[in-house]
Amino acid sequence: MQQTKEINALFSLIDDPDDEVYQTIAEKIVSFGKGIIPNLENLWENTPNAEVQEKIEMLIHRLHYNDLTNDFIEWNKNPYHDLLLGALLVAKFQYPDLHTTPVLQDIEKIRRNVWLELNSYLTPLEQANVLSSIIYNYYNLKGIEISYNHPDDFFLHKVIESKKGNTITNSIIYQVLCTQLEINAKIINIPRQMVIAFFHSDYDANSYKGHPQEKIHFYVDSLTGQAYSHADIENYFKKISVPPVASYFKPMSNQQIIQVLLQEVAKCFTLPSNQYKQAELLALCNLLDS
């Protein structure tokens, strides 16, 4: 966007000490849309005042956030709700200039390596063993405990880059690969865990009327790739003193998975200086309710 007299006039008032005046100026600047970001970045580089620089940074963040909000609205409208795209949109909250192509290429490399090892004669457990061997041994993805001191652990491109992810991001990667390989394995949200359930090939969550656990072969821990039996899961429920109701075994929708990811990332921003990010992430989460 080229400099104009109007933009220059607005920029000259950013340092106005009157908050009401500043808010009016800020709203006008934001109304120009993300095309004004290069102008703001140029202004930041030529502004020695740290307080004014901070105001400019917040304006740039607001512009990126408005753009991201629109992207989430469009994602939510799409009936497919692509899980990989949803997770990358979450990453764009913190990294608005993220280039997604390298991530898509890395996922495709893993998918191809798994596909080369699969054949139509493998049992679901053998398929899971191939997946886990490629993901955790060949590709070397590691599982780490959830830490709200490290927001990067929740952003998929950073997980792919570092090869270290928590139960949420690793589960997303595992499910994305299963979907691409047409394997009927989905994330289920049992209490305090996210695990992958390998469902019978004929199971459809929208039409099946019985207890979904009846249609599960076994489970996979996304932190390690280890398979768990029904007995293992039943023992877990006994250990935490929670009844294993049907809802815990029903596959989460892609919208629900992205909502959990947004809620967990929001917990990373609790300091007074960045609490506004928590509110913004939760607002994005609420968008997916509709």
Side-chain angles (χ1 to χ4, degrees):
M1 183 176 287
Q2 295 181 338
Q3 294 280 7
T4 66
K5 287 183 179 179
E6 183 183 11
I7 290 173
N8 288 331
L10 290 168
F11 283 180
S12 69
L13 294 169
I14 284 179
D15 61 351
D16 195 296
D18 187 316
D19 189 59
E20 193 171 326
V21 171
Y22 169 72
Q23 290 303 329
T24 303
I25 297 303
E27 291 299 328
K28 184 63 179 174
I29 290 172
V30 170
S31 73
F32 280 95
K34 65 179 181 179
I36 203 172
I37 289 176
N39 302 62
L40 286 165
E41 289 173 337
N42 182 62
L43 179 65
W44 187 93
E45 290 170 2
N46 294 285
T47 300
N49 188 310
E51 287 186 17
V52 176
Q53 283 185 328
E54 190 175 329
K55 286 183 176 181
I56 296 168
E57 288 166 9
M58 284 301 300
L59 288 169
I60 292 172
H61 174 78
R62 280 182 63 184
L63 286 158
H64 282 307
Y65 180 72
N66 287 351
D67 201 42
L68 183 62
T69 299
N70 291 330
D71 287 342
F72 264 105
I73 290 169
E74 289 304 310
W75 183 85
N76 199 39
K77 283 180 184 175
N78 188 315
Y80 181 57
H81 301 122
D82 183 277
L83 182 59
L84 180 55
L85 175 58
L88 290 172
L89 285 179
V90 176
K92 281 191 171 186
F93 175 81
Q94 192 77 339
Y95 296 92
D97 298 321
L98 169 66
H99 295 291
T100 59
T101 301
V103 180
L104 301 178
Q105 289 172 338
D106 282 334
I107 293 289
E108 172 56 22
K109 285 176 190 173
I110 303 171
R111 185 207 67 81
R112 182 164 178 79
N113 281 322
V114 175
W115 177 77
L116 290 170
E117 299 293 328
L118 294 177
N119 64 64
S120 58
Y121 301 105
L122 296 182
T123 66
L125 184 57
E126 288 169 335
Q127 290 177 331
N129 287 338
V130 170
L131 271 158
S132 293
S133 177
I134 297 293
I135 296 170
Y136 300 98
N137 297 331
Y138 178 74
Y139 182 71
N140 288 324
L141 180 66
K142 304 298 181 191
I144 55 175
E145 293 298 313
I146 286 179
S147 170
Y148 299 117
N149 295 319
H150 300 102
D152 279 357
D153 295 348
F154 296 93
F155 301 132
L156 212 65
H157 72 296
K158 287 294 185 181
V159 171
I160 295 288
E161 186 182 296
S162 66
K163 297 188 178 180
K164 293 187 296 183
N166 56 41
T167 182
I168 304 168
T169 50
N170 283 11
S171 291
I172 289 172
I173 291 169
Y174 204 107
Q175 178 167 314
V176 164
L177 290 166
C178 287
T179 300
Q180 292 178 350
L181 293 160
E182 298 182 344
I183 294 171
N184 198 13
K186 304 286 186 184
I187 295 171
I188 59 173
N189 195 20
I190 63 175
R192 307 171 206 167
Q193 297 286 336
M194 282 183 99
V195 299
I196 311 293
F198 274 68
F199 288 90
H200 294 195
S201 58
D202 63 348
Y203 173 72
D204 182 345
N206 295 319
S207 60
Y208 187 70
K209 301 301 182 185
H211 195 303
Q213 191 177 15
E214 298 166 356
K215 287 291 187 176
I216 295 174
H217 291 294
F218 55 88
Y219 312 82
V220 169
D221 180 352
S222 66
L223 288 178
T224 62
Q226 180 181 347
Y228 290 122
S229 67
H230 284 289
D232 292 326
I233 297 299
E234 285 164 13
N235 288 334
Y236 173 75
F237 273 97
K238 288 177 184 175
K239 183 179 176 181
I240 63 172
S241 301
V242 173
V245 296
S247 59
Y248 292 136
F249 297 90
K250 189 174 181 180
M252 297 175 69
S253 71
N254 290 353
Q255 286 167 298
Q256 290 171 329
I257 295 167
I258 296 304
Q259 282 184 312
V260 169
L261 182 59
L262 287 165
Q263 288 164 353
E264 292 298 298
V265 177
K267 294 175 185 176
C268 299
F269 301 104
T270 56
L271 297 175
S273 60
N274 61 25
Q275 222 165 7
Y276 68 93
K277 290 187 175 184
Q278 183 178 81
E280 290 173 343
L281 286 160
L282 293 176
L284 292 174
C285 179
N286 291 335
L287 270 179
L288 305 186
D289 284 335
S290 56

